[in-house]
Amino acid sequence: MKLLFIFSMLFCISWQLTAQETKYVDSTAKVQSRKALKQREKNNVKVVPAPDLSDPAFIDYLPATLYLTSDDSINSNAFIRQNFTDQFVSLWEHPGRVYPASRVFAFRQNGKYFRACRMDARNSVFGELAVKGRMNLYYTRRLPQEAGLVEFVTTDPNSGGYRNFMIVQYQDRKRFEADYYYFITLEDDSLQCIPVNDYAEFAGRYLKDTPDAYRMMMEFAVRRGGVAKVVAPLIAAGVVAATMLTTSLQAGLLVSAPFIAGGMGYSIWRKKKGYAKPGPEEMAGVIRAYNSGYE
């Protein structure tokens, strides 16, 4: 019984310490699916037909070129809707019609070029061009979806039952100020956009031949540091030694309490510290370093 209790304690401590160190995988789609499901159940599956695309005043519509494909374009006054999981452009001359990022190629407005890209199964965005070269970088802010989603169904006969989700405004915005979507296109295949969802995987696949860019990107990749690798074994050894060298389980737990408390404190500190995410300038620096490697 004593050994069983010790091993149970060690398993719990090791699990808490290593849970914060697991490799980063973008779980936005899973989180938002659960949140969206709960929100829809709470609102009795709230579905709003055809969002009113004429809400913004005409002054908000600016001249733009919308590229339906890389070769087919429309010149019109346009307004981008970014508070949707599938961001879209509305045109003043075509009220009620949807031009979503999942179905168009790009658009240009105010001297800026925005490329459309599907980031995952649900989220499609328009990213602003930040770096142009052998590798092009696009970015846009990632809106938090913790507050829930409201489903919209368009009545546009040209959209074939198209569905979209409006992102409910999240109050704790400061927490997500440095959260962005990034994607790239390559000079030899500019038609394909490549989402950057895992920094380590992206660095290993595309930046290996440019050491400076690889090193800069890996600074934002989630890796277990040297301290994290030895803390769990040290705590485990301390608890086992203290328990085995004392005459009773209670005395052993009392002696090993500093080890347990230290492990819990380290776990909480790691959780609060989190992992740094690159801002647009930092990410642009990585891509510029990559492009410089081929000049």
Side-chain angles (χ1 to χ4, degrees), residues 29-48 85 122 145-153 163-166 168:
K30 294 181 180 179
V31 173
Q32 69 189 23
S33 297
R34 291 195 296 269
K35 296 294 183 180
L37 179 60
K38 292 180 181 179
Q39 186 69 20
R40 290 199 299 271
E41 291 176 349
K42 182 178 179 180
N43 296 333
N44 295 321
V45 191
K46 184 176 181 180
V47 178
V48 182
T85 55
R122 171 170 290 173
Q145 300 179 11
E146 277 75 1
L149 302 170
V150 178
E151 184 175 4
F152 283 86
V153 181
R163 309 176 81 86
N164 201 346
F165 295 85
M166 184 181 73
V168 178

Side-chain angles (χ1 to χ4, degrees), residues 54-63 77-81 90 92 109-110:
S54 61
D55 280 347
F58 178 72
I59 195 173
D60 294 324
Y61 285 76
L62 299 174
N77 291 301
F79 180 82
I80 183 173
R81 296 297 188 97
S90 59
W92 182 260
Q109 189 177 62
N110 267 349

